[in-house]
Amino acid sequence: MTPDWVKDAVFYQIFPDRFYIGQGPAGQPAPVQSAFEAWEAPPTLRGFKGGNLWGVIEKLDYIKQQGFNALYFCPIFASTANHRYHTSDYFQVDPILGGNEALRCLVEEAHRRDMRVVLDGVFNHCGRAHFAFQHIMENEAASPYLDWFHIYKFPLNAYSKHPNYAAWWNNPELPKFNTANPECREYLLSVAEYWLQYGIDGWRLDVPNEIDDDDFWREFRRRVKARNPEAYIVGEIWDDASRWLQGDQFDAVMNYPLGRAILGFVGADALDKDLAAKSGLGRLESLGAMACHHRLEDLFRRYDWEIVTAQMNIMTSHDTPRIFSILRGQTERVRLAFAMLFTLPGAPTVYYGDEIGMAGGHDPDNRRGMIWDESRWHKSIQQIIQQMSALRRSLPALRRGRYQYLYAQDGHLAFARTLEQSSVVVTINASPEPWRVNIPLHGVWPRGGQAVDLLSGKSGRCAG
Amino acid sequence: MTPDWVKDAVFYQIFPDRFYIGQGPAGQPAPVQSAFEAWEAPPTLRGFKGGNLWGVIEKLDYIKQQGFNALYFCPIFASTANHRYHTSDYFQVDPILGGNEALRCLVEEAHRRDMRVVLDGVFNHCGRAHFAFQHIMENEAASPYLDWFHIYKFPLNAYSKHPNYAAWWNNPELPKFNTANPECREYLLSVAEYWLQYGIDGWRLDVPNEIDDDDFWREFRRRVKARNPEAYIVGEIWDDASRWLQGDQFDAVMNYPLGRAILGFVGADALDKDLAAKSGLGRLESLGAMACHHRLEDLFRRYDWEIVTAQMNIMTSHDTPRIFSILRGQTERVRLAFAMLFTLPGAPTVYYGDEIGMAGGHDPDNRRGMIWDESRWHKSIQQIIQQMSALRRSLPALRRGRYQYLYAQDGHLAFARTLEQSSVVVTINASPEPWRVNIPLHGVWPRGGQAVDLLSGKSGRCAG
């Protein structure tokens, strides 16, 4: 079984350094504001803008108003990188973010608003500033942590281009843990357990496929679920994830394939394929309705339905260009992509700023400071997200209903979401011209029944 | 005012990696025993033996039985060095030592036995593995921590011999903090406050003279005393400490000058001066009784009496060769030196293992694994410490009484400790021959009064 709450979740993904600078309590021993890069300046690979968790707390009401009830955070633990994937301390929330106290407060404030909090767990590798790795830097073979990594030779050349130890993508900044070492393994698993004590609702797992050890993830699951049976375990797997979705490892994965199908269909000729290709999205294909349907149906059949309705459905993230830029600023297409995302099984996930149509190219440009000047917001995008989220909230069939194919031709796709006696028909017109909908209903609605267009409120009648 | 409890304290100094390996609770994610250097093997500069705070807890009863009621620990925070002066995280007790939980338990168990706990505070510099320094290593000028250190140039060459940033004794392993930066200052002061929450009874300050800023230490004092007015603040100042002992900075200092006077007098011709000279003790001088007395009297007059009775009187430590070796294994002299230490104003301090006559030369040889095989103990040394500690406990004059000169000639020194109506006469014979004591009492005892030798129990009568 997957956590029930995820089936009702709408995720908002936050890149903490770039969301909002909150004040927090006085006397926090962190760097002062003047030490940070200007909020509006183009992001740099190494610069910090100083967003923090106090800022997220201040904006929780904003987030809720946009229709989100779950937060998925990029890493928040102490790190030497602005994206915080270079973990230096797994037991400390980064001081710049406000430290552990800020997380405790954030979880409390989120839960008070019926919002969930999922953290990013980076267990394959750490930053070279990590305590155990630095221990080996200093003590070499005399370090009792020697076996926590895969060391080939001394002295370690951690600050040159060619690491003499196993590192993620051979990047010396990211030494790979030896998860076969029992103490190292216990250390990582204790991190997973530790933060559950703070009340977090789940772990998004960074590159979990690189820990090529199903037993590791099985134990991870057992220990996480023992502390919180409703905790969500979602892996960053970009393609087929069957190996991890047998019920004994992850609850779900980041469903980029679904996102690619939506973008391919809705984006069609407008797609900036070169831009997308620089990221993990790979080269997007323009898809007709039938091709899109096939991809969706394949995804829905490949995994258990329990998993399908708990997938983290995602189009764009901190790892991809922004949807506004991929769709070349065509607001109508962005609106349609989000509308479609909210009608499919699985939890819709929106990257901060995408809801207001922020532009952003390849990393680090996709990590600009959130725009808080409302005059610069694309309010029509915001509105469709709010509207679709409200629809999803009011119609259980959109969250838990089966996916039923109705019609697919060129830029026209129609399907139903059916739960018990209730069916919602979804029609998507990805073509630039109006579509006078004329589709077979295959019995999802009774002949002569009245139909209401849920977006416009107009009504019609099902033909006999 | 200085803390009252220090005047009654007898300190035991512990080098945590070398004292005892306790088991602690199950499931601690720390390196396994097999990863450590053998306990009995000669210590190396970089090796770890795996002693921990759980081990200290197990041995608290032993320590108490030896006559100690206060513990002074070498650093215990997360570090890349076995001596832990290279701090990598000021908010974490080193995982190898048992982590924060072990300290919490230790303080509780110590207090239950009426024992105090003083920690070593290293605020002048950190280890190069420290989070903020590593942050600059990675992000250079883009790091908001840039001003927390004194950086001269990029890229930082932290792993070469010649650091391009301020470092303690130009040692690249130890970047010096910029305590003039308000956030860095606040960070360090918050560390001092943080651990007081764990119930610790004071801070021993490492090389505090190198933070050449009296206001820093004044604020340090204000904030520490605000949280615990009875907290002990004792600086590592090897020579004249008047600057810091005006009442607004430290309570006291590590009184090595007193230790040198005792060693010079008791050790006389037996001193291994070459050995001592390699350490901070410098070249010891053989002293006659009068020279020793002059040194002592100078120390007692130089500072306020409140301070004198709260000094941390120390002969040897992790920074010096062991007393057994300085006195070339002459057990009688070692016994006499300790006996004298316990009769002077100020808190006697004994380095772990010195109470059983462990040998040890220059660092790292002075940091051998504690000997727990009783058959190898020099029990006569242990006995004199127990006996003298008991005497000191039963005679308030030995703790708070004035120092009064009586007699000094060659190897013979006599003085009285006088508190209100009570006087204790101390006679010290540092010569190899018996001394038939014949000294003027200058009225400290009434004529014809009965005198009892507190060590032998024999009695005599004061001549008219």
Side-chain angles (χ1 to χ4, degrees):
Chain A
M1 293 292 288
T2 53
D4 216 43
W5 66 266
V6 179
K7 295 150 199 165
D8 301 322
V10 182
F11 282 100
Y12 191 61
Q13 181 189 354
I14 294 178
F15 190 96
D17 188 57
R18 305 297 155 77
F19 188 60
Y20 189 61
I21 300 173
Q23 285 313 307
Q28 291 285 110
V32 281
Q33 202 43 43
S34 61
F36 295 112
E37 209 173 73
W39 194 258
E40 295 288 343
T44 60
L45 280 172
R46 287 296 185 180
F48 287 72
K49 293 193 185 292
N52 57 35
L53 298 188
W54 301 117
V56 176
I57 294 169
E58 287 185 41
K59 295 297 185 184
L60 280 177
D61 290 330
Y62 164 84
I63 297 166
K64 180 125 200 196
Q65 279 159 19
Q66 307 316 306
F68 303 102
N69 62 7
L71 305 170
Y72 144 42
F73 283 93
C74 285
I76 62 170
F77 305 137
S79 170
T80 51
N82 58 37
H83 48 67
R84 299 196 168 86
Y85 280 97
H86 295 40
T87 315
S88 48
D89 188 340
Y90 287 85
F91 288 98
Q92 291 288 329
V93 173
D94 198 296
I96 297 177
L97 292 179
N100 294 9
E101 196 44 39
L103 177 64
R104 200 182 285 283
C105 186
L106 170 68
V107 171
E108 191 181 309
E109 290 294 326
H111 285 178
R112 180 177 303 174
R113 291 169 176 81
D114 287 324
M115 299 170 83
R116 303 282 182 155
V117 177
V118 170
L119 298 187
D120 200 332
V122 189
F123 297 115
N124 176 65
H125 50 262
C126 57
R128 59 189 160 189
H130 185 270
F131 167 65
F133 187 76
Q134 286 289 322
H135 210 279
I136 306 175
M137 285 287 293
E138 301 275 354
N139 303 300
E140 303 196 339
S143 172
Y145 294 99
L146 184 63
D147 194 43
W148 284 35
F149 299 91
H150 308 267
I151 307 289
Y152 307 141
K153 205 175 171 189
F154 289 116
L156 290 177
N157 50 10
Y159 297 87
S160 81
K161 281 190 180 164
H162 305 288
N164 46 7
Y165 49 89
W168 185 73
W169 285 37
N170 220 30
N171 179 345
E173 299 174 26
L174 300 171
K176 181 174 168 64
F177 282 115
N178 175 17
T179 45
N181 173 287
E183 289 77 36
C184 175
R185 198 181 183 96
E186 178 60 30
Y187 169 77
L188 295 171
L189 294 169
S190 73
V191 171
E193 290 179 325
Y194 181 79
W195 294 105
L196 289 168
Q197 295 172 33
Y198 273 68
I200 67 161
D201 300 288
W203 284 108
R204 176 266 188 190
L205 301 172
D206 188 61
V207 297
N209 53 316
E210 307 213 14
I211 298 182
D212 188 15
D213 177 352
D214 294 346
D215 279 338
F216 178 87
W217 293 118
R218 287 189 187 108
E219 190 176 350
F220 183 93
R221 182 184 183 87
R222 277 194 301 273
R223 290 174 64 161
V224 163
K225 298 282 184 179
R227 301 224 165 202
N228 178 4
E230 284 289 292
Y232 184 39
I233 301 174
V234 55
E236 182 205 14
I237 303 289
W238 289 71
D239 295 299
D240 182 76
S242 307
R243 170 177 169 185
W244 298 277
L245 295 178
Q246 300 303 314
D248 56 348
Q249 297 188 55
F250 310 156
D251 291 313
V253 294
M254 296 178 80
N255 202 355
Y256 282 111
L258 178 137
R260 285 195 288 252
I262 296 175
L263 289 172
F265 173 54
V266 171
D269 299 338
L271 288 172
D272 188 338
K273 296 178 184 175
D274 291 340
L275 180 63
K278 289 180 187 166
S279 77
L281 286 175
R283 194 147 196 95
L284 292 172
E285 284 176 67
S286 302
L287 300 174
M290 187 53 85
C292 176
H293 158 66
H294 280 145
R295 292 200 181 195
L296 293 176
E297 197 168 48
D298 174 59
L299 285 168
F300 302 148
R301 287 185 176 165
R302 188 182 306 182
Y303 310 120
D304 191 277
W305 187 248
E306 264 295 311
I307 290 166
V308 170
T309 50
Q311 290 275 62
M312 178 180 266
N313 286 350
I314 192 160
M315 299 187 293
T316 53
S317 70
H318 67 292
D319 275 335
T320 74
R322 286 191 175 274
I323 189 169
F324 192 81
S325 297
I326 291 176
L327 296 176
R328 298 185 198 269
Q330 298 190 18
T331 310
E332 280 307 308
R333 290 193 195 264
V334 176
R335 282 167 50 86
L336 188 61
F338 278 122
M340 185 168 173
L341 179 72
F342 277 77
T343 61
L344 292 169
T349 304
V350 177
Y351 182 49
Y352 84 97
D354 278 359
E355 82 278 17
I356 53 165
M358 277 175 67
H362 193 54
D363 169 13
D365 190 47
N366 55 352
R367 300 167 184 187
R368 299 183 196 172
M370 172 73 179
I371 294 171
W372 291 108
D373 171 3
E374 300 189 19
S375 71
R376 294 166 59 198
W377 290 358
H378 290 270
K379 290 196 175 142
S380 67
I381 298 173
Q382 219 173 12
Q383 280 156 6
I384 195 77
I385 288 175
Q386 290 170 0
Q387 199 171 8
M388 291 305 301
S389 177
L391 268 187
R392 197 175 163 93
R393 213 160 36 244
S394 65
L395 297 169
L398 283 183
R399 308 195 301 269
R400 287 174 171 74
R402 282 184 300 111
Y403 170 89
Q404 189 176 351
Y405 169 77
L406 293 179
Y407 179 85
Q409 183 82 39
D410 304 328
H412 299 157
L413 177 65
F415 56 86
R417 298 292 309 284
T418 302
L419 183 70
E420 295 164 4
Q421 305 311 314
S422 157
S423 282
V424 178
V425 171
V426 178
T427 61
I428 298 163
N429 176 14
S431 74
E433 291 81 36
W435 173 25
R436 186 172 175 84
V437 181
N438 187 359
I439 52 171
L441 284 173
H442 299 302
V444 299
W445 282 340
R447 287 184 186 185
Q450 180 162 324
V452 179
D453 180 332
L454 292 166
L455 290 181
S456 68
K458 290 179 188 162
S459 65
R461 199 163 288 279
C462 304
Chain B
M1 294 292 288
T2 53
D4 216 42
W5 66 265
V6 179
K7 295 150 199 165
D8 301 321
V10 183
F11 281 100
Y12 191 62
Q13 182 191 352
I14 294 178
F15 189 97
D17 189 58
R18 306 296 155 77
F19 188 60
Y20 189 62
I21 300 172
Q23 286 314 308
Q28 292 285 111
V32 280
Q33 203 43 44
S34 61
F36 296 112
E37 209 174 73
W39 194 258
E40 296 287 343
T44 60
L45 280 172
R46 288 297 186 180
F48 288 72
K49 293 194 185 290
N52 57 33
L53 298 188
W54 301 116
V56 176
I57 294 168
E58 286 185 42
K59 293 298 185 184
L60 279 177
D61 291 330
Y62 164 83
I63 296 166
K64 180 126 199 195
Q65 280 158 19
Q66 308 315 307
F68 303 102
N69 61 7
L71 305 170
Y72 144 43
F73 282 93
C74 285
I76 62 170
F77 305 137
S79 170
T80 51
N82 58 37
H83 47 67
R84 299 194 169 87
Y85 280 96
H86 296 39
T87 315
S88 49
D89 188 340
Y90 286 85
F91 288 98
Q92 291 289 328
V93 173
D94 198 295
I96 297 176
L97 291 179
N100 294 8
E101 197 43 39
L103 177 65
R104 201 183 284 286
C105 187
L106 170 67
V107 171
E108 191 181 310
E109 291 293 326
H111 285 178
R112 180 178 302 175
R113 291 168 176 82
D114 287 324
M115 299 170 84
R116 304 281 181 155
V117 177
V118 170
L119 298 187
D120 201 332
V122 188
F123 297 116
N124 176 66
H125 50 263
C126 58
R128 59 189 161 189
H130 184 269
F131 167 65
F133 187 76
Q134 286 289 322
H135 210 279
I136 305 174
M137 285 288 292
E138 301 275 355
N139 303 301
E140 303 197 340
S143 173
Y145 294 99
L146 184 62
D147 194 42
W148 285 35
F149 299 91
H150 308 267
I151 306 290
Y152 307 142
K153 206 176 170 188
F154 290 115
L156 289 177
N157 50 10
Y159 297 86
S160 80
K161 281 190 181 164
H162 305 287
N164 46 7
Y165 49 88
W168 185 73
W169 286 34
N170 220 30
N171 180 344
E173 299 175 27
L174 300 172
K176 181 173 168 63
F177 282 116
N178 175 18
T179 45
N181 174 287
E183 290 75 36
C184 175
R185 197 180 183 96
E186 180 59 30
Y187 170 77
L188 294 171
L189 293 169
S190 74
V191 171
E193 291 179 325
Y194 181 78
W195 295 105
L196 288 168
Q197 296 172 35
Y198 274 67
I200 67 161
D201 300 288
W203 285 107
R204 176 267 188 188
L205 300 172
D206 188 60
V207 296
N209 53 316
E210 307 213 14
I211 298 182
D212 188 14
D213 178 351
D214 293 347
D215 279 338
F216 179 87
W217 293 118
R218 287 189 188 108
E219 190 175 349
F220 183 92
R221 181 183 183 86
R222 276 194 301 273
R223 291 173 65 162
V224 164
K225 296 284 183 177
R227 301 223 166 203
N228 178 2
E230 284 289 291
Y232 184 40
I233 302 173
V234 54
E236 183 204 14
I237 303 289
W238 288 71
D239 295 299
D240 181 75
S242 306
R243 170 176 169 186
W244 298 277
L245 295 179
Q246 300 301 314
D248 57 347
Q249 298 187 57
F250 310 156
D251 291 315
V253 293
M254 297 179 79
N255 203 355
Y256 281 111
L258 179 138
R260 284 195 287 252
I262 297 175
L263 290 171
F265 173 55
V266 172
D269 299 339
L271 288 172
D272 188 338
K273 295 177 185 178
D274 291 341
L275 180 62
K278 288 181 189 168
S279 77
L281 286 176
R283 194 147 196 96
L284 293 173
E285 284 175 65
S286 302
L287 300 175
M290 186 53 86
C292 176
H293 158 66
H294 280 146
R295 291 198 182 196
L296 294 175
E297 195 167 49
D298 173 59
L299 286 168
F300 301 148
R301 287 186 176 165
R302 189 181 306 181
Y303 310 120
D304 191 277
W305 186 247
E306 265 294 311
I307 291 166
V308 170
T309 50
Q311 290 275 63
M312 178 179 265
N313 287 349
I314 192 160
M315 299 187 292
T316 53
S317 71
H318 67 293
D319 275 336
T320 74
R322 285 191 175 276
I323 190 167
F324 192 81
S325 297
I326 290 177
L327 296 176
R328 297 186 198 270
Q330 298 189 17
T331 309
E332 280 307 309
R333 290 194 195 263
V334 176
R335 283 167 49 85
L336 189 61
F338 278 123
M340 186 168 170
L341 180 71
F342 276 77
T343 61
L344 291 169
T349 304
V350 177
Y351 183 51
Y352 85 96
D354 278 358
E355 83 277 17
I356 53 164
M358 278 175 67
H362 193 53
D363 168 14
D365 190 47
N366 54 352
R367 301 167 184 187
R368 298 183 196 172
M370 173 72 180
I371 295 172
W372 291 108
D373 171 1
E374 300 189 19
S375 71
R376 294 167 60 200
W377 291 358
H378 290 270
K379 292 197 174 144
S380 66
I381 299 174
Q382 219 174 11
Q383 281 156 4
I384 195 75
I385 289 175
Q386 291 170 359
Q387 199 171 7
M388 292 305 300
S389 178
L391 267 188
R392 196 175 164 90
R393 216 163 32 245
S394 64
L395 298 169
L398 283 182
R399 309 195 298 271
R400 287 174 173 75
R402 282 184 300 113
Y403 170 88
Q404 188 176 352
Y405 169 76
L406 293 179
Y407 179 86
Q409 182 84 39
D410 303 330
H412 300 157
L413 177 65
F415 56 85
R417 300 291 311 282
T418 302
L419 184 69
E420 294 163 5
Q421 304 311 314
S422 156
S423 283
V424 178
V425 171
V426 178
T427 61
I428 298 164
N429 176 13
S431 75
E433 290 83 35
W435 173 25
R436 185 171 177 82
V437 181
N438 186 358
I439 52 167
L441 284 173
H442 298 303
V444 299
W445 281 341
R447 287 184 184 185
Q450 180 161 325
V452 179
D453 180 333
L454 293 166
L455 292 180
S456 69
K458 290 179 188 159
S459 66
R461 198 163 288 279
C462 303

